[in-house]
Amino acid sequence: MNLDPVIHAPVRLQIVSLLAAANEAEFSFVRDTLEISDSVLSKQAAALENAGYVHIRKGHVGKRPRTWLKLTDQGRTAFGAYVTTLQQIVGQRLTTP
Amino acid sequence: MDQKVPSPAEALAEIERTQRAAYSRRRIPIWYVPAVVGAITLLGVGTELHGPARGVTIATGGLAMAAAVYGLSRSMRVRWKARAWTLAAGAEFGAWAVSIGVVMSLTGLIIGAIHFQPVVQRVAIGVAAAVYSVATLRWIERRVIARTAGKVIR
């Protein structure tokens, strides 16, 4: 069973895992939660965007520029398949109350 | 940063850990509930007044409510999926919201028994609800986060 190489990298896995729980998350929230630098997040988010898994939206709140990240439908589908594959390999299910 | 590719078991654990870390940062601004209570209080006070003061107070309450909602939307850094909540977490948060109403009702009964003016009663009810919400907001957030333990969103 092959794991999606786009997702199966430490930082990208964290980014996609976080975005899976949200409709949309601000760049700074993702950066702070994952405790990574702006440049690392920018690079990995761009890689996910190039793969069609993440949509990056730039906007303003008042005069402040803000960047928002969200999983695309393709990204959400890929993440679901990725988790299913992991579970099959490991032979366990994630706890879902 | 360690870029070692995780094993499948490590990857599963990382997914759960990352989502838990994100949930633990889920916070309602501390000013938000008191602001909404204040706006509702202004609307209530307005209904007790007469003449131009009535319209002005009600309009101010409406504007305060709109400002609170706008302020919240500006300060939120994540728009969570509804399924990030568990049923238990939603029920507990709902019970807390109801408890604010209970505090308002009890305060109204106590103040009403002392026969204060209606405007004073409404202000006292609003102050009691605001103080209660500020005092308990972080506590209920911690409980809600605890109630989402183990919840994983795909």
Side-chain angles (χ1 to χ4, degrees), chain B residues 10-25:
Chain B
E10 288 169 342
L12 280 173
E14 186 60 32
I15 292 167
E16 192 162 350
R17 193 203 65 77
T18 299
Q19 293 189 348
R20 291 284 299 156
Y23 294 151
S24 69
R25 288 173 169 266

Side-chain angles (χ1 to χ4, degrees), chain B residues 14-47:
Chain B
E14 186 60 32
I15 292 167
E16 192 162 350
R17 193 203 65 77
T18 299
Q19 293 189 348
R20 291 284 299 156
Y23 294 151
S24 69
R25 288 173 169 266
R26 187 164 47 186
R27 291 280 185 270
I28 296 172
I30 198 74
W31 54 262
Y32 179 68
V33 180
V36 169
V37 169
I40 292 171
T41 301
L42 269 177
L43 292 169
V45 167
T47 63

Side-chain angles (χ1 to χ4, degrees), chain A residues 1-74:
Chain A
M1 284 179 280
N2 292 326
L3 289 166
D4 187 331
V6 176
I7 297 176
H8 195 61
V11 176
R12 291 199 293 272
L13 173 60
Q14 289 181 316
I15 295 169
V16 173
S17 299
L18 192 159
L19 294 180
N23 289 317
E24 201 170 38
E26 197 183 314
F27 183 95
S28 63
F29 179 86
V30 178
R31 177 199 63 205
D32 296 346
T33 302
L34 303 184
E35 299 178 334
I36 56 179
S37 66
D38 283 355
S39 60
V40 168
L41 178 54
S42 292
K43 182 181 174 185
Q44 300 302 335
L48 289 165
E49 186 180 38
N50 289 336
Y53 289 2
V54 166
H55 174 67
I56 300 174
R57 177 173 71 85
K58 294 184 183 297
H60 287 80
V61 176
K63 290 183 179 177
R64 286 184 174 181
R66 288 199 186 172
T67 301
W68 294 83
L69 308 177
K70 70 178 291 187
L71 275 189
T72 60
D73 290 343
Q74 183 185 347

Side-chain angles (χ1 to χ4, degrees), chain B residues 3 41 57 61 91 114 133:
Chain B
Q3 288 294 306
T41 301
T57 307
I114 308 174
S133 67

